[in-house]
Amino acid sequence: MSVEVQSSEDPGAALAAVTALRRLADQLEDAAVERAMRSGWSWPQVAEALGVTRQAVHKKHAKRLVAAGVALRRR
């Protein structure tokens, strides 16, 4: 997929936009993973949907989900 972006004359503004988009993507991922796990999805299902390994998704989200009171499945 290719996206054409009109770049700003100010590299600082362009980099700030990238940072903001990354934060937004992380927030969306956190919410979607939490919703999936609360709905009974397994780590492998979430990992496949995100295009990462089960280990990667577990490492990134497990502690936060436990702290949020989400009952996690073993597999």
Side-chain angles (χ1 to χ4, degrees):
M1 182 166 100
S2 176
V3 177
E4 186 175 327
V5 178
Q6 292 291 337
S7 66
S8 168
E9 292 295 319
D10 177 11
L15 293 169
V18 169
T19 300
L21 287 170
R22 284 185 179 148
R23 283 191 190 124
L24 178 58
D26 284 342
Q27 291 170 355
L28 291 171
E29 181 179 324
D30 288 351
V33 169
E34 183 170 338
R35 192 172 323 112
M37 296 304 284
R38 287 187 186 277
S39 296
W41 282 40
S42 66
W43 289 112
Q45 287 174 304
V46 173
E48 183 177 346
L50 291 173
V52 298
T53 65
R54 179 188 60 79
Q55 293 86 352
V57 76
H58 185 273
K59 182 178 179 178
K60 184 172 182 180
H61 296 284
K63 286 182 184 178
R64 181 184 54 76
L65 292 172
V66 168
V70 178
L72 302 177
R73 294 175 59 178
R74 282 285 199 192
R75 287 207 174 229

